[in-house]
Amino acid sequence: MTTPPRIADLLGPPAPVLSVRPVVIPTPGRVVDLQVRVTAPVTGGELPILLLSHGQGHSNHLSSLDGYAPLVDFWASHGFAVVQPTHLSSTTLKLAPDTPGAPMYWRSRVEDMTRILDALDVIEAAVPQLGGRLDPSRVAVAGHSMGGHTASLLLGARLIDPDDGNEVRPADPRIKAGVLLAAPGRGGAALTAPMAEHFPFLATPDFSRMTTPTLVVAGDKDASAHLTVAGPEWHTDPYVLAPGPKSLLTLFDAEHGLGGISGYDVAETTDENPERVSTVQLLTCAYLRTALHPDDPAWQSACDALASGPNPIGRVESK
């Protein structure tokens, strides 16, 4: 059973959207300039800005500015200006494997997001339909899988740089809320041996000072056995190990694709389920609306509606 229709009713009807890509942000020192897609409602002002960091799936183009259309289209149609970068880890760029930072470019990913916020004037100039319509005081970040790692660092998580042993603290105070979708959890013994060996930056996350309000979304069948020996609960660590205010949406029977959020009808989704995708769309949108506009009751109403059905598709807990 899907989320009761009144959640969708609460958010209002979807608005027409415009999408422009690529918007090129000149980036000296980066191996290629940063390219982003901007998707926003055609009308309306004071649009909150939502940065979306892509994951590292097996498809050729979903890990780029061209992915995550089910989420991007929905968020934009309900009032957000969504900005999607193509990180250096994207297979679309075909970078040499010996490029500094390869293959995951964890540090560059974070820098991409802060560059976007530094370049809002560039984006408005490239997309004149957005001129004067963005609200830089209301910024959120979302990320799926490896993108969730990127987003968690921007929200206040820290790690030890395996190259120099220094603590990395890249939180951006301009970001007021976040959504972590199937994001990585704790390091240490929770990682598989290959992950610990080849991706040591995953070994030392510290969520204890990730204080920015965040919704963590996890599937209770997302074992991610190539990443962790801790099972599906590993993806709840950013909720369990971080201080409040935090909320956790656990999706029943969901795997790493959370029903198919990375694209429409994509082959890499192992748990294709339109109802599950709809739940992610609705609950994440409601959460961000309330997080950025505290007088908006969307989140509490969405939680109440999710719990009211006889066969709920997931559950929410908060602290």
Side-chain angles (χ1 to χ4, degrees):
M1 179 178 177
T2 189
T3 307
R6 60 178 172 274
I7 297 182
D9 294 341
L10 175 71
L11 296 177
V17 303
L18 61 87
S19 189
V20 179
R21 52 89 60 207
V23 173
V24 179
I25 299 175
T27 316
R30 196 175 187 265
V31 63
V32 295
D33 284 334
L34 177 60
Q35 295 190 11
V36 305
R37 175 193 289 267
V38 182
T39 307
V42 171
T43 61
E46 298 183 338
L47 302 177
I49 300 162
L50 178 49
L51 310 180
L52 175 59
S53 180
H54 63 71
Q56 287 304 117
H58 301 298
S59 298
N60 291 322
H61 294 278
L62 296 178
S63 294
S64 75
L65 54 74
D66 289 319
Y68 296 88
L71 294 181
V72 173
D73 293 347
F74 188 90
W75 289 336
S77 72
H78 287 86
F80 290 88
V82 185
V83 186
Q84 301 171 256
T86 294
H87 296 303
L88 292 180
S89 57
S90 175
T91 56
T92 63
L93 297 179
K94 299 180 174 61
L95 298 181
D98 60 351
T99 303
M104 290 299 184
Y105 300 92
W106 65 267
R107 187 186 291 274
S108 173
R109 282 171 150 269
V110 173
E111 293 169 349
D112 289 345
M113 309 301 257
T114 59
R115 285 191 186 102
I116 291 170
L117 295 181
D118 292 339
L120 293 179
D121 58 336
V122 175
I123 291 173
E124 288 197 9
V127 188
Q129 299 93 329
L130 284 180
R133 297 176 57 209
L134 300 179
D135 183 354
S137 72
R138 290 187 170 93
V139 179
V141 64
H144 176 234
S145 193
M146 183 60 193
H149 181 271
T150 302
S152 69
L153 291 173
L154 290 159
L155 292 165
R158 306 182 183 199
L159 58 77
I160 301 300
D161 189 330
D163 294 329
D164 59 21
N166 292 325
E167 185 180 55
V168 179
R169 299 175 289 177
D172 193 313
R174 293 172 291 186
I175 295 173
K176 308 303 183 184
V179 173
L180 303 182
L181 301 152
R186 64 192 184 279
L191 295 181
T192 63
M195 285 296 108
E197 177 183 359
H198 297 296
F199 305 107
F201 68 90
L202 290 173
T204 58
D206 175 8
F207 299 107
S208 66
R209 287 172 283 185
M210 192 175 75
T211 58
T212 307
T214 302
L215 171 64
V216 176
V217 183
D220 68 1
K221 296 294 189 295
D222 183 8
S224 297
H226 64 297
L227 293 172
T228 181
V229 298
E233 290 186 357
W234 186 63
H235 294 289
T236 70
D237 284 347
Y239 172 79
V240 174
L241 301 177
K246 299 289 181 294
S247 292
L248 172 65
L249 169 61
T250 301
L251 296 168
F252 304 147
D253 296 320
E255 299 177 15
H256 200 60
L258 302 178
I261 63 170
S262 62
Y264 294 115
D265 299 322
V266 296
E268 69 180 40
T269 299
T270 59
D271 66 330
E272 185 173 21
N273 186 314
E275 292 179 345
R276 190 170 296 136
V277 172
S278 177
T279 299
V280 176
Q281 292 171 327
L282 292 164
L283 270 290
T284 57
C285 189
Y287 178 85
L288 291 171
R289 281 176 57 158
T290 297
L292 297 177
H293 296 273
D295 57 344
D296 190 321
W299 174 239
Q300 186 59 57
S301 298
C303 292
D304 293 343
L306 181 70
S308 66
N311 297 298
I313 200 169
R315 68 173 181 269
V316 171
E317 56 190 280
S318 297
K319 63 180 183 180

